[in-house]
Structures are given as structure tokens and as C-alpha cells.
Amino acid sequence: YVKDERTKQFAYSFHAAADRNGFILGTIVTPGNIHDSTMFEPLLEKVIENCGKPDAVAADAGYKTPAIAQYLIENNIRPVLPYTRPRTKKNYLRKHDYVYDKHFDCYICPEGQVLEYRTTTKEGYRQYFSNPTKCKNCSLLAQCTQSQNHQKLIQRHVWEDYLEEADHLRYTTENRIIYAKRKETIERVFADAKEKHGMRWTTLRGLKKLSMQAMLTFAAMNLKKLANWTWTSPKMV
């Protein structure tokens, strides 16, 4: 499988969830070319079924999508997602430089031109286009678009409001405290699994075998953590 743009290899991905204390609550094994975000909902549903609904869910940038933000907020679960850098090319205006008018459902560019809604793609993105006649002589055209017909296009997902709400929550003290725990919980789980339990490389082939290995390994890690928690030093005689 093509794991990413730089690596081509036969690989599997272990998707796992942990609680605030680092105990693994659930895992799903997939081929390495399956994007993390597509497994978020089934993994969380497995956790909810076995352990109950969490108050908040912290995830890395790979899970920061409109669909996941919508799913969490609609289910009254607090999304704790990180900052992600804009993917705009250097020296070009960024999306947040264009103001979205929710009442009229349009975007307004820095020069005051209105980008009107035209259509929605099958992926759920609403498309807003500028007037090329007005853009042609705009002083910011070189920073705005590379379009040959001098027309700016902005896409907004139908669930973009949920993603924006998740971004607003990022500035709260509660989200900062929760997200800081990731390095002590799920990140530690993956590090220990790779370095101490041989999960960096697989000697097995097939999802069924890998799933059994993941469940046994994570069960052992949970038992080891539980033993460390309950162990007490012997009294001196």
C-alpha cells in the first residue's frame, strides 16, 4: 500500500483510543492506505458501546475534518482539536482574509467584492465565485488567484460551522489542558507499543491476525499499567 506521499510499503495502521489515564479503550486495524479520519466514527462508537460516552475527545490534526467536528458536536461531545496551518501558497491571501456573510451566504474579498454561491460538489463543498470582470483590474489579483480567467473560487463545507466552533473552543483553558494530556496518554501508548512490544514492524499478514495481535498487545499493556497502579512496596520488617 502507498502509506503516504513519501513511503511505499506493505503496511497496516493501528487506530486506538485511550482514556485520560492512558488505558486503551478500543482499537481497529486497517490497511496502511486508509486515512485516519475515516476510522474515527467506528472507533468512537466502539468505545461508547463498551465504556460509555466521553465528555470530550482529543485527536491530532489528521482527524480535524468538518465531518468529525459535526459528529462530535451533534452528539454533545466536546471536540479538542489542534491548530492546523493554512494550506495557501506563500504570498497569497488566505481563506480567513475573505469574510463569510452567513445571512446572505456569500464571501466578501478584501477589496469589497462579493463572491456568490454557485453550486455544491458531491463531496459537500459549497463553491463561491467572484466576478472575473471586476477581478481583472484588481490591485490584489496577483495575491488572490492564479486563475487564467481572473476568477477567485472559495470552497466552504456544508459542515464548516462545526469546524469553526471547534477552532473557537481551542482557545479555552479546558481544551488546552485536555490536549496537553495527549502526549502522556495515546502518544505514550503508541510509543510503548512500537518500542517495547514490537509493533513498529509486523511479522504477520492479514487483518484478522493483526487485529488479534493488537487486542492481545493492548490488553497486556492495560494489565501492566493496572499492576503498576495496584502494586505497593513491601513493609520493612
Side-chain angles (χ1 to χ4, degrees), residues 2 11 13 29 31 41 46-47 49 51 76 85 87 112 121 128 133 136 169 177 181 186 190 193 207 216 222 228:
V2 179
S13 291
V29 181
E41 190 171 332
K46 179 183 288 190
V47 171
E49 181 181 352
C51 309
N76 296 316
R85 292 182 179 180
R87 295 182 176 86
T121 67
Y128 300 81
T133 304
K136 187 175 182 179
L169 291 171
I177 293 173
K181 294 282 289 183
I186 193 64
F190 285 128
L207 291 177
L216 288 171
N222 280 347
N228 287 333

Side-chain angles (χ1 to χ4, degrees), residues 113 130-137 149-151:
Q113 187 193 159
S130 66
N131 185 334
T133 304
K134 296 180 180 179
C135 290
K136 187 175 182 179
N137 299 315
N149 63 348
H150 314 299
Q151 189 173 48

Side-chain angles (χ1 to χ4, degrees), residues 190-205:
F190 285 128
D192 285 352
K194 290 178 180 180
E195 297 300 322
K196 300 179 181 179
H197 296 273
M199 293 177 72
R200 184 177 297 278
W201 306 100
T202 179
T203 57
L204 304 174
R205 181 181 296 178

Side-chain angles (χ1 to χ4, degrees), residues 74-126:
E74 285 295 315
N75 285 279
N76 296 316
I77 301 173
R78 188 184 188 93
V80 183
L81 303 172
Y83 167 78
T84 51
R85 292 182 179 180
R87 295 182 176 86
T88 311
K89 291 183 179 180
K90 188 177 180 181
N91 299 323
Y92 277 82
L93 294 172
R94 296 178 177 179
K95 187 176 179 178
H96 65 253
D97 293 321
Y98 301 81
V99 179
Y100 178 65
D101 189 322
K102 189 173 182 179
H103 179 75
F104 292 102
D105 189 25
C106 65
Y107 274 91
I108 303 174
C109 80
E111 291 295 297
Q113 187 193 159
V114 175
L115 284 75
E116 297 180 343
Y117 166 74
R118 183 171 298 178
T119 186
T120 302
T121 67
K122 62 181 180 180
E123 290 82 17
Y125 286 92
R126 296 172 62 84

Side-chain angles (χ1 to χ4, degrees), residues 18-103:
D19 66 8
R20 68 181 64 190
N21 296 311
F23 286 95
I24 301 100
L25 304 179
T27 181
I28 296 176
V29 181
T30 65
N33 60 346
I34 300 297
H35 195 273
D36 292 346
S37 63
T38 62
M39 302 311 302
F40 179 88
E41 190 171 332
L43 178 58
L44 182 56
E45 287 179 350
K46 179 183 288 190
V47 171
I48 292 174
E49 181 181 352
N50 295 330
C51 309
K53 188 175 76 171
D55 295 324
V57 170
D60 63 22
Y63 298 92
K64 191 177 181 181
T65 66
I68 288 177
Q70 185 268 348
Y71 175 81
L72 291 174
I73 293 174
E74 285 295 315
N75 285 279
N76 296 316
I77 301 173
R78 188 184 188 93
V80 183
L81 303 172
Y83 167 78
T84 51
R85 292 182 179 180
R87 295 182 176 86
T88 311
K89 291 183 179 180
K90 188 177 180 181
N91 299 323
Y92 277 82
L93 294 172
R94 296 178 177 179
K95 187 176 179 178
H96 65 253
D97 293 321
Y98 301 81
V99 179
Y100 178 65
D101 189 322
K102 189 173 182 179
H103 179 75

Side-chain angles (χ1 to χ4, degrees), residues 45 139 158:
E45 287 179 350
S139 59
V158 292

